[in-house]
Structure formats: C-alpha cells, structure tokens
Amino acid sequence: MNPALELLRPYPFERLRALLAPLAPPPDRLPINLSIGEPKHPTPRVLLEALAGALPTLANYPATKGTDALREAIAGWLMRRYRLRRVDPQTQVLPVNGSREALFAFAQATIDAHGNALVLVPNPGYQIYEGAALLAGAQLRYLPTTRSGGWRMPLERVSAQDWQRVRLVYACSPGNPTGHVMSLQEWQELFALADRHDFLIAADECYSEIYFDEAQPPLGALEAAERLGRTGFARLVCFSSLSKRSNAPGLRSGFVAGDARALERFLAYRTYHGCAMSPATQAASIAAWNDESHVIDNRRRYAGKFAQAQPRISRVLPAAMPQAAFYLWAQTPGDDAHYASTLYAEQNVLVLPGSFLARTVEGTNPGAGYVRIALVADEAQVVAATERILAHAAQSAC
C-alpha cells in the first residue's frame, strides 16, 4: 500500500462524530445540522427534467473530454459570468465529476513525486488539498488565514528558497470557511510569484455563486487574470461545480478551466484515470449552466437566511458577514470543540469546530476559537437554530 496513506488525518466530520458520540442531546429537540456544507435547497426542475430526458444516453460510453455542447455551455457561462472576451471550449475547458474529484486529481497529475515538491494551502481550509498533496508525494506549507491578516494567505511567509520548490498553490476564493474573496491585488501578487517560480495555481471557486449583492458578484481568478492582461490564463486553472450553485451535490458535475497546456496534460491523466462524466449528467449540466434564474433564486434564499441569523448570532458569537459562501465563521467564548459539544448536548444543534478545519503549525491552530456554521438548512430550521444558539448563550451565562 502507498505509505503516504498513513499521513492522512481523520476528516473533520469523523472527528466531530467522535467528539459527540458520548453525548445524548435532548430528545424533545429535533436535530438541526449546520456542520456540513451540503446544500439543502431543492434541485431546480430545469436540471431534473434534462437529466430524466437524457437517461437513454446511458447506453453510450462518454468521452473523457465531454461533449462539445457541454464545453461550449461552460465556456459561455464563464464569459457571461466573468465578462471574459474568450474562453476556448476546445482547449481551455474540461468537465469533471465535481470540483472535489478534480482538485484531488490535479495534484496527482501535476506533482513530480521525486522532485522535492512543495504545495501551499490555506489554513484553515478544505482537507482535500492536504490529502491530494500528500498522496502526490509532495510536502505541505500551511498559510494561516486570520482576521488580523485580513483573511488573506500570507504569501510573504514563504522564503525565497522555498518558493523554488513550490509546484502548486491551492487558492480558495470565496474562502472556506472565512468567506473571504481574493482581491485583484492578491491575485496579482500570486500571479507574479507563479511567473517568477514557475508553479501552477489551482483556484477553487465552488462558492462563487453564493453572494449577497446581485450588482457585485465575487471576482474570479480568470477574470482577475484577464483584467491584469494575462492572455491565455498562464499557470492558472480554476475549479467550479454545480453542487452549490444549482443545489445538485449528488450530480457530481463541475469543470476545470484555464491554462490550455496544463489542461492538455490533465486530460491525458484523466483519460487513464477513467473518470468520464455520464452522458445524462452532461445533459443536465448543460441545462444548468445555461439557466441563471434558479441561481438568482438560490442567492435570494441564502441572503434572507443570513439577514435573519447573522445579526442575532453575532450578539453571542462574533461573526462578520462573509463576502460570499454560505458559512458564518463565528468566534466562540472559549474552546471551540467544547462549545460545539455543549451546544449539541444542550440544544441538539451541530456546528463544526474551527480547529478541526485547520492544522497546528508552530504551536498555533488558526481555526481554534471559531466554529463554522453552515446556513444550508431551510429558513425555519435556521431561525430555530438561531434561537437555540441564543438560548445556549443565555444558559451558559447563568
């Protein structure tokens, strides 16, 4: 077996289950789970109808590169969403089975396991980045994203010597769990370093369509590259999916887009990997990428829940409105794991300890003292959870 498997750490939700296993929540309170970022809004009818209508296509083997129609739909969406002049559907877009699968596979395809490679990841962050790097044979550098640092990745902490070893940087914008959206200046700094040291940037944008002002969508990586005059999206690949945008996490549909040379090599890897997207899934994806009405309605619902919950929860757990995404990154009045366990035991509400999303580096865990609250449940449950969080705070103060 691959010895790197021994380096993998338990997933945050495994740790949460172990933390809560000895506890018995009050049976008269129905459970409300705000710990996992799984969308709960209904999957749009336009997607479901396209999926059902395409079921006869399951008799055909799909191509790893996907259909021309799907790549054209994705390229068209990218150009509309980010006001891009041109995205070539033949060379700059690949469909993938959800962004998680692609974020993991990209490291396997791009890292030379014998080259002393270094991969940079945000801390706290999505654990897939860590596992992908370790199983690709790379070493990790965790960059703490903190309130005092404006939630940005502190690239200045990487030495000139270490930059020479960097082969891949994972950037998550909008960020999980902080909701931070990288600015044009942040992208410019990262692009300059990629040019100087010749590494690839994997831009995870799976939360890009959950934002709160229709007039101000979050800046995207490809958009930033074009605004900075970087034709061809050199050294940049972005990852997105329909899971959050279209409430279809079970569809397992997303895309990668950007640097044509990187995608050419990634396609070669994927051809051997055996991960072509189902023809029916492709048909449903085309329908979803070509429809914005359900996405606007989705944002409206999230905005309403944040308007209800954020001001009230912030009275007892300081939590600024995120720039995007559906998480509150809330400060706890003590140890975050203790807070999560007592909230569960007393109120039957699940939230995720922030320390479970981060790694302790040089004695500091940047997720400690926070919990991630995913406002994914329906409106009534979010209101009920808010009331229980306030009741828990009042009881703890007695």
Side-chain angles (χ1 to χ4, degrees):
M1 299 296 287
N2 185 345
L5 288 168
E6 300 302 320
L7 302 175
L8 301 183
R9 309 185 198 201
Y11 215 59
F13 305 107
E14 295 176 37
R15 297 180 64 188
L16 182 62
R17 281 191 291 271
L19 174 71
L20 303 181
L23 305 176
D28 60 332
R29 292 185 178 273
L30 292 176
I32 302 177
N33 188 352
L34 304 182
S35 67
I36 187 168
E38 181 181 39
K40 299 298 184 182
H41 299 171
T43 304
R45 181 172 295 276
V46 65
L47 189 158
L48 296 175
E49 290 176 349
L51 181 66
L55 289 179
T57 64
L58 294 177
N60 307 113
Y61 277 119
T64 304
K65 193 175 182 179
T67 63
D68 289 345
L70 175 56
R71 293 194 309 278
E72 288 165 4
I74 294 168
W77 179 79
L78 282 166
M79 289 186 283
R80 293 190 302 273
R81 166 64 173 84
Y82 295 112
R83 300 174 295 279
L84 303 174
R85 289 188 296 274
R86 173 68 174 157
V87 176
D88 185 351
Q90 292 299 321
T91 64
Q92 294 179 318
V93 174
L94 281 177
V96 296
N97 295 313
S99 56
R100 173 175 176 165
E101 176 265 323
L103 287 161
F104 179 85
F106 194 68
Q108 316 311 303
T110 57
I111 297 295
D112 178 359
H114 305 291
N116 195 30
L118 190 62
V119 175
L120 307 186
V121 299
N123 189 29
Y126 191 28
Q127 192 160 326
I128 291 299
Y129 311 150
E130 175 185 84
L134 291 172
L135 290 173
Q139 295 181 338
L140 283 152
R141 175 63 56 82
Y142 299 95
L143 296 180
T145 56
T146 63
R147 183 176 61 173
S148 62
W151 307 117
R152 58 177 286 276
M153 283 200 297
L155 302 174
E156 65 279 2
R157 293 195 178 197
V158 182
S159 68
Q161 183 178 8
D162 279 347
W163 278 119
Q164 296 299 321
R165 298 173 50 212
V166 173
R167 291 296 170 264
L168 181 63
V169 174
Y170 282 104
C172 186
S173 179
N176 171 15
T178 66
H180 172 70
V181 174
M182 289 178 64
S183 67
L184 188 65
Q185 182 177 349
E186 287 175 76
W187 282 117
Q188 186 174 31
E189 180 184 9
L190 187 54
F191 293 152
L193 287 163
D195 290 342
R196 190 178 312 147
H197 302 291
D198 192 23
F199 59 78
L200 287 166
I201 301 166
D204 181 356
E205 299 185 336
C206 72
Y207 299 98
S208 69
E209 303 314 288
I210 311 299
Y211 54 92
F212 309 104
D213 182 351
E214 288 295 322
Q216 299 208 1
L219 176 69
L222 300 184
E223 180 184 11
E226 185 163 293
R227 286 172 60 178
L228 293 167
R230 298 177 63 81
T231 58
F233 312 122
R235 299 182 178 84
L236 172 65
V237 175
C238 74
F239 299 71
S240 192
S241 104
L242 293 173
S243 295
K244 279 76 174 178
R245 173 188 182 271
S246 298
N247 301 309
L251 189 68
R252 309 315 304 138
S253 176
F255 68 80
V256 296
D259 186 312
R261 184 173 180 274
L263 292 191
E264 179 184 28
R265 304 309 301 152
F266 192 36
L267 175 60
Y269 170 87
R270 294 179 67 75
T271 301
Y272 280 84
H273 191 198
C275 50
M277 184 185 291
S278 153
T281 299
Q282 293 192 55
S285 302
I286 291 168
W289 291 118
N290 283 332
D291 182 75
E292 282 301 312
S293 60
H294 73 275
V295 189
I296 293 170
D297 182 64
N298 196 39
R299 281 196 290 271
R300 177 190 58 78
R301 291 191 66 182
Y302 279 118
K305 289 189 286 186
F306 271 88
Q308 286 272 358
Q310 186 271 336
R312 302 187 69 211
I313 290 175
S314 290
R315 296 176 196 166
V316 295
L317 302 176
M321 269 293 292
Q323 291 176 276
F326 48 48
Y327 300 120
L328 280 177
W329 188 229
Q331 289 181 266
T332 57
D335 179 80
D336 52 292
H338 175 74
Y339 175 85
S341 62
T342 58
L343 180 66
Y344 172 71
E346 296 172 10
Q347 300 292 337
N348 210 356
V349 174
L350 275 71
V351 297
L352 187 65
S355 58
F356 291 7
L357 288 164
R359 297 292 173 244
T360 299
V361 179
E362 297 178 355
T364 300
N365 184 313
Y370 289 86
V371 288
R372 193 186 73 178
I373 305 173
L375 298 188
V376 292
D378 65 31
E379 288 82 352
Q381 284 192 310
V382 167
V383 169
T386 300
E387 295 293 342
R388 294 189 199 179
I389 289 169
L390 294 175
H392 175 259
Q395 185 175 352
S396 298
C398 294

